[in-house]
Amino acid sequence: MTNLSVNINKVATLRNARGENNPDVQKFAEDCESLGADGITIHPRPDERHIRRDDVFLLRPLVKTEFNIEGYPTPEFMDLVLKVKPEQVTLVPDAPDALTSSAGWDVEANMEFLTGIVDRLREAGIRSSIFVAPDPDVIRAAARTGTDRVELYTKPFADTYPSDPVGAVAPYIEASRAAHTCGLGVNAGHDLSLANLRYFHEQVPYLNEVSIGHAIISDALYMGLPETIKAYKACLGR
């Protein structure tokens, strides 16, 4: 079974545009869960341009499924997640001012750093996931850090899928098999949508979770949130 984690950053972006509490980020997370989402993902950034630090603490007691916090593991980020203790922390290599995640880790070059972070998360009872390109060598390196999972960066798949679906998904099939062989769980995210998710899910083995935000919020503007979550779960055979 592949779980659907809804990234609610865009909801916080909309709220922050007016400076009030509409839409209510906490209620939106609860509604996503009640409608069938298997988890809630957030990516707090240092400038708090969407999810704010206080949102993280407010969401923790409300999220009853899986709480996944993404981010670059600065001292401030680590202090936050070790206090909040989500079920999963996804480590991404973003610069503080990055608009969105745009590449996976160079794990070999950051081996000592990532291993130390993974060790701290494990000691706190938090599952770790490292954001990576669909490269078996990088995945094997990630396994040496002791991480629990990898998250495959799927923008290259989404970009190529319309013209060459078989070629687009091939590296992800190989990457997921490599991760499974290494004993790692497999997550995926970035630019997955109703246009490509079903095919990705059907083709990629051992897929534990997909994290989707921008496309879900965009589709919900037209379809409504209940029908949108239902449609995404249908793509996952749920």
Side-chain angles (χ1 to χ4, degrees), residues 88 127-130 147-151 185-187 208-209:
Q88 177 174 268
R127 184 171 74 233
S128 59
S129 179
I130 295 178
T147 191
D148 301 292
R149 293 186 183 183
V150 290
E151 178 171 332
V186 180
N187 299 341
N208 295 106
E209 175 185 293

Side-chain angles (χ1 to χ4, degrees), residues 38-58:
D38 304 297
I40 299 296
T41 292
I42 59 172
H43 188 150
R45 294 181 183 273
D47 61 8
E48 297 192 320
R49 65 179 179 266
H50 34 62
I51 290 294
R52 300 191 294 245
R53 187 178 177 89
D54 63 329
D55 290 326
V56 184
F57 289 100
L58 290 169

Side-chain angles (χ1 to χ4, degrees), residues 168-179:
V169 82
Y172 295 88
I173 296 171
E174 183 182 9
S176 191
R177 287 174 175 161

Side-chain angles (χ1 to χ4, degrees), residues 10-237:
K10 285 295 187 295
V11 180
T13 301
L14 182 59
R15 175 202 61 191
N16 294 352
R18 285 290 293 266
E20 298 176 354
N21 194 40
N22 187 26
D24 185 322
V25 171
Q26 285 74 51
K27 184 178 185 303
F28 192 90
E30 291 182 302
D31 289 344
C32 286
E33 288 188 313
S34 70
L35 293 167
D38 304 297
I40 299 296
T41 292
I42 59 172
H43 188 150
R45 294 181 183 273
D47 61 8
E48 297 192 320
R49 65 179 179 266
H50 34 62
I51 290 294
R52 300 191 294 245
R53 187 178 177 89
D54 63 329
D55 290 326
V56 184
F57 289 100
L58 290 169
L59 284 165
R60 172 65 286 189
L62 299 177
V63 176
K64 305 303 182 186
T65 53
E66 178 190 279
F67 197 19
N68 173 45
I69 302 181
E70 301 178 341
Y72 183 86
T74 61
E76 295 77 15
F77 178 85
M78 291 302 295
D79 175 71
L80 177 64
V81 298
L82 291 174
K83 286 178 178 175
V84 173
K85 292 192 175 180
E87 281 73 30
Q88 177 174 268
V89 167
T90 300
L91 305 172
V92 298
D94 292 354
D97 60 348
L99 186 63
T100 187
S101 301
S102 58
W105 284 94
D106 181 340
V107 178
E108 286 286 1
N110 294 277
M111 180 66 68
E112 184 176 356
F113 175 64
L114 288 170
T115 300
I117 296 296
V118 167
D119 286 346
R120 292 179 67 191
L121 294 172
R122 179 180 295 104
E123 289 168 3
I126 301 169
R127 184 171 74 233
S128 59
S129 179
I130 295 178
F131 194 66
V132 296
D135 182 326
D137 288 337
V138 174
I139 289 166
R140 284 188 280 268
R144 300 204 308 273
T145 70
T147 191
D148 301 292
R149 293 186 183 183
V150 290
E151 178 171 332
L152 303 178
Y153 174 51
T154 49
K155 180 173 172 55
F157 161 77
D159 289 346
T160 307
Y161 172 77
S163 60
D164 181 13
V166 174
V169 82
Y172 295 88
I173 296 171
E174 183 182 9
S176 191
R177 287 174 175 161
H180 183 71
T181 299
C182 292
L184 300 177
V186 180
N187 299 341
H190 205 97
D191 284 0
L192 294 174
S193 69
L194 290 177
N196 57 40
L197 179 59
R198 184 182 299 275
Y199 181 79
F200 186 84
H201 175 255
E202 289 173 348
Q203 299 299 314
V204 178
Y206 312 118
L207 190 60
N208 295 106
E209 175 185 293
V210 293
S211 175
I212 305 175
H214 185 84
I216 284 179
I217 305 307
S218 298
D219 288 332
L221 293 174
Y222 290 92
M223 300 168 61
L225 187 62
E227 288 302 314
T228 298
I229 290 180
K230 181 179 178 181
Y232 275 85
K233 293 199 73 172
C235 290
L236 299 174

